[in-house]
Amino acid sequence: MTGTTLDDYTDRYARRVRGMTASEIRALFAVASRPEVVSLAGGAPFIAALPLDAVGEMLGRLGAEHGTTTLQYGIGQGTLELRERICEVMALSGIDAACGASPEDVVVTVGGQQALDLVARLFLDPGDVVLAEGPTYVGALGVFQAAQAQVVHVPMDDDGLIPEALETAIAEQARAGRRVKFLYTIPTYQNPAGVTLTEERRERVLDICERAGLLVVEDDPYGQLGFEGEAPAPLRARRREGVFYLSTFSKTFAPGLRVGWILAPHAVRDKLVIASEAQILCPSAYAQSAVSTYLSTMPWREQLKVYREVYRERRDAMLDALADLMPDGTRWTTPAGGLFVWATLPDGLDAKAMMPRAIAARVAYVPGTGFYADGTGTGHMRLNFSFPAPERIREGVRRLAGVMEQEMAMRRVFGAVTGPGRRRGGAGSDVPGPDLA
């Protein structure tokens, strides 16, 4: 050891550690949590909308009356009771016994994040390619990079993933001799773009993947949080083979419990359980019992309606504020559900470079660079509307608009510079495309 670096263990790390980078969202949390900052950065659900007194009493009883089981070890796959309740939840979206959904093929995970990691552990070798929407969930990027896989982004527009672009991406990777393992997609109320894959495109995407022999990893944390009618049926409700369905109770109940799941093809179930046991031995029996009891004894379907109304009001507050306050040239998506709006900045603005000045103005957002594997996306930002109250959302947008106006004034004086990651088309396009406003 020479002691000349900040990290004296650098030469001892495994090669896969080189792909690990800090999440831009996590890096913002310390600043964004300050009370004087209006945070439009995170993705936290509005837990205060829950009946917290009743939930608190329920949690207390789990320890006092059932502690000998809820505080004990469990089994790697998760309790049968919870897996049965999960099947009831999925049935609301059309994933039911008729399309092969069974408690036997459900694996309980520590949130949706572990579900992603398990799929990556089973299927990704170093150098493999994952196709993913551009932009995509930052947590998935971290998982795939840790697995030493290469993420290739497929553009989106207002109607979600573009099927023709998916076909092109598959063909390009084949010509280059690269092995594509699966398509990772958030087809409903996508994070971060807020767009939803249309009914017609869902069938086309599945057909394309089936012809190419490509697995589909469908991440669906937000599908039951729609504001404008029913969402299209999940991909897993349409095809049972080759589709892995991942979801979580973090957005519909409580993220602090860290309970998610995978519905996998039957042949893969045992390998998922083995991989999970190697990681965590077993998911928390207490957390599983909490979710099972909540689903069995409380009006959780009514609670979903409460969340939808709360988030609809806050989505509308954000859209109204953006329309009223944002400078000319700004565009944004209009989500029909979920937690996020994706904004495209006027030409010349760089969301990442602008961040320190936004924090100084006491407003936080997530620069678009965090949602691309290649660091592009400087001309975009993700805005969250689920957590702040409507009046705080408007104040945050007012502060943000003021920062952008100042940036634009500076560029009029000193000249506009377009960063290397500037995107001028749709949510993830590299070329001019449909306007996502």
Side-chain angles (χ1 to χ4, degrees), residues 28 31-32 34 37 354-365 403:
L28 282 169
V31 173
R34 297 174 186 169
V37 175
M354 192 173 69
M355 174 57 74
R357 289 177 284 280
I359 295 298
R362 297 170 298 157
V363 62
Y365 57 86
V403 172

Side-chain angles (χ1 to χ4, degrees), residues 83-359:
R83 288 184 277 123
E84 289 173 342
R85 299 289 85 74
I86 285 171
C87 285
E88 292 175 6
V89 171
M90 291 191 295
L92 287 183
S93 302
I95 304 174
D96 55 20
C99 61
S102 164
E104 290 301 309
D105 295 331
V106 172
V107 177
V108 178
T109 60
V110 182
Q113 194 67 20
Q114 193 210 4
L116 277 169
D117 191 70
L118 290 175
V119 171
R121 284 173 182 266
L122 258 60
F123 289 103
L124 294 180
D125 289 316
D128 283 343
V129 173
V130 174
L131 300 182
E133 294 141 343
T136 194
Y137 170 50
V138 64
L141 291 177
V143 167
F144 302 148
Q145 288 164 354
Q148 297 177 278
Q150 178 185 357
V151 176
V152 173
H153 289 294
V154 181
M156 293 186 291
D157 59 19
D158 283 322
D159 293 328
L161 186 74
I162 302 172
E164 294 81 4
L166 175 61
E167 288 184 303
T168 298
I170 293 171
E172 288 176 348
Q173 296 306 307
R175 284 196 297 270
R178 300 191 186 100
R179 184 167 58 169
V180 180
K181 282 296 185 68
F182 55 77
L183 168 68
Y184 170 71
T185 177
I186 312 171
T188 306
Y189 316 135
Q190 202 254 8
N191 177 8
V195 299
T196 297
L197 189 65
T198 61
E199 187 80 32
E200 182 266 342
R201 284 191 180 182
R202 290 180 186 234
E203 294 295 337
R204 291 175 63 194
V205 165
L206 286 168
D207 287 342
I208 290 167
C209 291
E210 187 173 307
R211 288 196 300 270
L214 200 61
L215 300 175
V216 176
V217 177
E218 178 180 19
D219 199 357
D220 189 26
Y222 314 103
Q224 295 182 344
L225 295 176
F227 315 142
E228 299 172 2
E230 294 298 319
L235 304 180
R236 179 57 182 79
R238 303 158 190 270
R239 308 282 170 91
R240 69 168 67 184
E241 294 300 326
V243 179
F244 291 74
Y245 181 81
L246 284 54
S247 193
T248 176
F249 290 104
S250 292
K251 305 303 187 292
T252 56
F253 180 25
L257 291 173
R258 310 306 303 131
V259 178
W261 74 90
I262 306 173
L263 175 65
H266 185 75
V268 184
R269 187 271 319 272
D270 287 344
K271 291 183 174 60
L272 286 169
V273 173
I274 292 169
S276 182
E277 289 173 338
Q279 281 187 321
I280 62 167
L281 192 60
C282 61
S284 163
Y286 183 86
Q288 291 182 82
S289 183
V291 175
S292 297
T293 305
Y294 174 75
L295 295 173
S296 301
T297 65
M298 294 193 178
W300 59 273
R301 293 175 180 82
E302 295 303 314
Q303 184 61 41
L304 285 176
K305 295 178 183 177
V306 171
Y307 274 134
R308 290 175 190 139
E309 289 305 315
V310 169
Y311 296 156
R312 187 207 317 270
E313 179 187 23
R314 295 177 181 208
R315 188 261 333 243
D316 291 347
M318 176 165 281
L319 295 179
D320 289 345
L322 291 170
D324 293 343
L325 302 170
M326 276 288 148
D328 290 343
T330 311
R331 294 175 285 131
W332 52 87
T333 56
T334 303
L339 310 182
F340 306 108
V341 166
W342 182 250
T344 300
L345 304 181
D347 285 347
L349 296 192
D350 183 322
K352 191 167 186 177
M354 192 173 69
M355 174 57 74
R357 289 177 284 280
I359 295 298

Side-chain angles (χ1 to χ4, degrees), residues 400-418:
L400 180 56
V403 172
M404 292 168 61
E405 293 281 10
Q406 291 175 354
E407 290 285 300
M408 294 170 70
M410 289 175 59
R411 278 157 176 72
R412 283 194 292 270
V413 173
F414 297 107
V417 178
T418 301

